Amino acid sequence: MKFLGVIALLSVLPAHAQHCAYDFRSVIVVRPHLSGDSMVIAGLRITLLDSNNLPVVHHGQPWNLFRRNVEPDRIRHRHGTFDRSDQFPFAQDNYILVVPNGFDTARMKVLVQDERDIGPLNERRDQWPMRFKQQVVALTNFDLYPLCGVFDEEVYPTMANRPSFHPIDITLHPR
């Protein structure tokens, strides 16, 4: 009889051990663009700042640079570095930052900087012929979107007690 009890217990454990690929993770999505143009500007440096306007550090490690949703994420590991190309369809071509759940985003800000290279004779090396002013944008509690169960969705589902998904809209201004 005890044997059957152990077998029953062991058959239930794997069901409870399975977790979402993004357990306890959320994403912040930022959409920087020009006024009157919805195209996302590539090549920007976007940093998450804490309540003291310093780059966010989590357990002693930098946790602050956004990346384009279309670019691979460079992951540091004790055996070296590798590219992880996690992409979230609902985030489209915006900038993203995956963070642990529970970040107090209401006390945080996003710093957008244009640090793209300028070639010889001030010629632009990319498609944007202008440079943009630095901007700091305050976040709210609703700028953090949980990923578990929705990371591979085309459209982020509406959740109870919060507004519908929308990226943080940042209109950039020329220098």
Side-chain angles (χ1 to χ4, degrees):
M1 196 63 162
K2 287 183 180 180
F3 179 72
L4 291 176
V6 170
I7 296 296
L9 179 64
L10 290 176
S11 67
V12 174
L13 287 178
H16 292 288
Q18 293 176 347
H19 294 281
C20 167
Y22 289 96
D23 265 355
F24 314 113
R25 296 284 183 261
S26 294
V27 67
I28 302 170
V29 182
V30 175
R31 183 169 194 79
H33 60 89
L34 285 171
S35 179
D37 188 353
S38 64
M39 192 163 119
V40 174
I41 298 171
L44 299 174
R45 179 180 177 91
I46 302 179
T47 307
L48 184 63
L49 303 176
D50 64 15
S51 59
N52 296 318
N53 291 329
L54 297 172
V56 171
V57 175
H58 183 69
H59 296 297
Q61 297 294 320
W63 204 300
N64 56 4
L65 292 179
F66 285 73
R67 67 174 176 87
R68 290 284 301 275
N69 192 41
V70 296
E71 298 169 352
D73 192 9
R74 195 93 175 128
I75 305 296
R76 284 188 215 103
H77 191 267
R78 64 182 170 163
H79 301 295
T81 60
F82 64 94
D83 288 337
R84 181 178 70 189
S85 59
D86 293 341
Q87 293 183 359
F88 309 109
F90 63 85
Q92 300 172 355
D93 63 343
N94 297 307
Y95 288 81
I96 60 170
L97 180 64
V98 177
V99 297
N101 286 351
F103 263 30
D104 186 5
T105 52
R107 297 173 45 133
M108 296 181 178
K109 299 174 187 91
V110 171
L111 169 65
V112 181
Q113 297 169 299
D114 186 355
E115 295 182 345
R116 296 171 295 165
D117 292 334
I118 297 178
L121 304 175
N122 283 339
E123 292 179 20
R124 300 295 305 162
R125 291 186 183 166
D126 56 25
Q127 66 187 12
W128 298 100
M130 65 182 82
R131 302 278 302 208
F132 302 101
K133 293 179 185 176
Q134 174 176 301
Q135 281 188 251
V136 176
V137 177
L139 300 180
T140 71
N141 285 328
F142 296 115
D143 291 326
L144 194 66
Y145 295 93
L147 285 171
C148 193
V150 299
F151 63 91
D152 60 353
E153 299 290 329
E154 290 288 328
V155 176
Y156 196 90
T158 302
M159 295 187 169
N161 301 321
R162 66 175 297 134
S164 298
F165 170 80
H166 63 280
I168 300 161
D169 189 66
I170 300 175
T171 304
L172 297 177
H173 306 285
R175 283 189 191 177

